[in-house]
Amino acid sequence: MTDSTARAPAFDVQRIRADFPLLSRQVHGKPLVYFDNANTSQKPRQVIEAVDRHYREHNANVARAVHQLGEEATSAYEGARDALARFVNAPSRNEVVLTSGTTHAVNLVAYSYALPMLKPGDAILTTVMEHHANIVPWQLVATRSGATVKAAPIDERGELLVERYIEMLTPEVKLACVTHVSNVLGTVNPVREIARACRKRGIPLLVDGSQAVPHRPVDVQALGCDFYVVTGHKMLAPTGTGMLWAKKEHLDAMPPFFGGGEMIREVKFSGTTFADPPHKFEAGTPNIAGFAGMAAAIDYYRTLGFDAIRRHEAALLEYATARLREIPGLRIIGEAADKEPVISFLLDGAQATDLATLLDLQGVAVRSGHHCAHPLMQFYGVPATLRASLAFYNTLEEVDAFVAALLKVRKLLM
Ligand code: PLP
């Protein structure tokens, strides 16, 4: 029997938890155990205060005003671009397009990069383990252009068959896509190896980093991909924030996707000229307060440091996996050798949704369902899984509380 008291936390998790106001609330009269971090993370007070401060002290529109407040708002917004560029080691801040999230960023690449160049017979390669955000936009532009979408397979452990992926990089593939970390399985994909294979064949690679950036340092130059997309709300930042990083050559060649204010140089009815990237892709008033929060979120990660985060999360994953494996009839879906702290599972004789509903009554927030990954559910032949996804502010004691709650609610369903 493994026991949480036998293991010392790798860093001062209680001090960190004190930064997250929501973690101290009760749900249904029980202390909250928040294990739905892959869905959205909780926010530290530093992020909440940055948003609050923006509206209290700096609120104005970006780029349109010469007054002091306008300059402050612009500097907060552009400061987030600098912070994101450093966060993923982008070679230039001008390669960072601020978006409302990953979905927006992938659609931007789909409609601005892929659609204009796709021809009938072309293909886009993705994988069976992708979130719908890295499948459906490609299907939409494939339908319009006569191209097809191919999906590289995985094995039962939830690991991408990398050799198959590379074999599928045939000449008709005009864009390859892969998630850095699976939102359902936690699997970490070998992005560098995939990027190397893509480069050899002259195929651009888009990486969905939504589930990677909350857990590991990312260096887009070292990864060697062409596009890297991120959503803010899973990495401590407010909802409605995110990023597309793309190599300059791609952004220069891509036509604008949305038209409107902020993205133009000059508008005439005889023809409009556009701003340079990244502003060419940022029409309309953005989520300025959200990006003020994004900069604070990145600061927060920098203060903690990914070394400490990774050590603590690895201990959480190991302990939670061991505790869950002790439960008879429990099957973990996703046992890749390289995993982030995301555990999908099924329990014999109980529906995932029923379990999640009963766990909620115990104060435990986990997600049940298809996790926006239908093809992955089809691969495993299940309609849904239960998913516990952990973050650096979770504790071994919470794992114990979660397992105890699971055993209790299982009895109710038997
Ligand atoms: N990609 C992955 C791997 C995800 O986990 C998610 C969210 O669950 C998304 C994309 C979509 O992110 P958003 O809804 O913030 O655009």
Side-chain angles (χ1 to χ4, degrees):
M1 164 86 188
T2 28
D3 174 5
S4 67
T5 53
R7 310 184 62 109
F11 66 158
D12 190 351
V13 67
Q14 292 307 334
R15 188 184 54 73
I16 289 160
R17 288 174 69 81
D19 285 336
F20 290 78
L22 198 139
L23 295 180
S24 59
R25 72 163 278 186
Q26 300 221 323
V27 169
H28 301 299
K30 304 267 172 18
L32 170 68
V33 173
Y34 187 76
F35 279 4
D36 197 17
N37 296 287
N39 206 354
T40 198
S41 72
Q42 296 305 339
K43 320 300 175 203
R45 68 181 163 73
Q46 290 84 342
V47 168
I48 299 166
E49 285 165 8
V51 175
D52 183 78
R53 200 161 47 244
H54 172 78
Y55 283 123
R56 284 180 193 279
E57 297 175 25
H58 309 291
N59 183 46
N61 212 329
V62 288
R64 295 175 195 185
V66 290
H67 53 68
Q68 178 65 26
L69 294 182
E71 276 178 23
E72 288 170 13
T74 304
S75 123
Y77 181 68
E78 293 299 331
R81 193 188 313 280
D82 292 323
L84 275 163
R86 281 193 300 274
F87 191 56
V88 298
N89 195 30
S92 162
R93 69 186 308 277
N94 293 333
E95 295 182 351
V96 174
V97 180
L98 302 182
T99 68
S100 67
T102 291
T103 304
H104 175 180
V106 177
N107 277 278
L108 173 53
V109 178
Y111 284 93
S112 179
Y113 177 81
L115 186 58
M117 59 94 180
L118 286 173
K119 298 182 305 301
D122 287 346
I124 296 169
L125 179 62
T126 187
T127 84
V128 167
M129 70 168 82
E130 302 302 314
H131 186 280
H132 294 161
N134 206 13
I135 299 174
V136 181
W138 310 125
Q139 290 178 324
L140 290 173
V141 295
T143 306
R144 288 210 201 174
S145 59
T148 53
V149 177
K150 304 196 292 184
I154 61 169
D155 64 17
E156 272 294 318
R157 289 165 56 83
E159 290 187 331
L160 182 65
L161 297 175
V162 181
E163 278 176 24
R164 279 295 296 136
Y165 187 100
I166 292 172
E167 279 165 20
M168 290 173 83
L169 292 168
T170 48
E172 67 274 16
V173 173
K174 297 298 183 299
L175 179 68
C177 309
V178 69
T179 193
H180 198 165
V181 173
S182 159
N183 64 313
V184 182
L185 309 166
T187 307
V188 181
N189 283 317
V191 169
R192 277 184 199 222
E193 183 184 348
I194 290 171
R196 215 175 301 121
C198 287
R199 276 202 307 281
K200 252 194 204 161
R201 292 158 182 78
I203 300 171
L205 175 67
L206 177 139
V207 179
D208 178 351
S210 310
Q211 299 288 349
V213 285
H215 303 294
R216 50 178 51 221
V218 166
D219 179 336
V220 292
Q221 299 185 62
L223 289 177
C225 57
D226 293 74
F227 303 94
Y228 196 91
V229 295
V230 161
T231 200
H233 68 96
K234 296 179 198 292
M235 48 165 282
L236 312 179
T239 50
T241 60
M243 172 197 85
L244 162 67
W245 168 78
K247 283 186 176 160
K248 180 176 184 314
E249 69 205 68
H250 298 314
L251 292 179
D252 283 344
M254 284 159 59
F257 172 40
F258 286 127
E262 300 301 335
M263 48 75 76
I264 50 85
R265 181 164 291 138
E266 190 180 15
V267 179
K268 288 185 184 162
F269 281 108
S270 56
T272 289
T273 51
F274 303 111
D276 289 330
H279 296 102
K280 177 167 85 170
F281 303 104
E282 294 177 8
T285 301
N287 183 359
I288 307 161
F291 281 104
M294 168 72 92
I298 290 172
D299 254 4
Y300 197 86
Y301 280 112
R302 191 170 332 107
T303 307
L304 285 189
F306 273 108
D307 284 350
I309 289 175
R310 291 185 64 65
R311 268 197 306 278
H312 181 66
E313 290 188 349
L316 285 173
L317 175 64
E318 190 189 332
Y319 183 64
T321 304
R323 291 289 334 257
L324 288 174
R325 282 207 179 110
E326 289 166 1
I327 300 176
L330 187 143
R331 173 184 164 207
I332 292 179
I333 306 270
E335 300 196 275
D338 193 3
K339 261 188 86 162
E340 292 299 358
V342 175
I343 311 175
S344 272
F345 61 94
L346 298 168
L347 203 46
D348 278 354
Q351 298 284 342
T353 311
D354 294 343
L355 281 168
T357 307
L358 291 171
L359 281 170
D360 176 55
L361 295 174
Q362 301 299 316
V364 176
V366 290
R367 182 159 175 201
S368 69
H370 53 69
H371 315 291
C372 300
H374 278 168
L376 188 59
M377 297 297 117
Q378 287 150 17
F379 171 80
Y380 282 106
V382 298
T385 71
L386 209 64
R387 180 186 70 187
S389 52
L390 283 63
F392 60 81
Y393 45 69
N394 290 128
T395 65
L396 299 170
E397 292 73 20
E398 284 183 303
V399 173
D400 288 339
F402 159 62
V403 171
L406 190 59
L407 292 172
K408 183 168 168 185
V409 302
R410 182 164 79 157
K411 271 198 202 127
L412 300 174
L413 290 172
M414 295 287 225

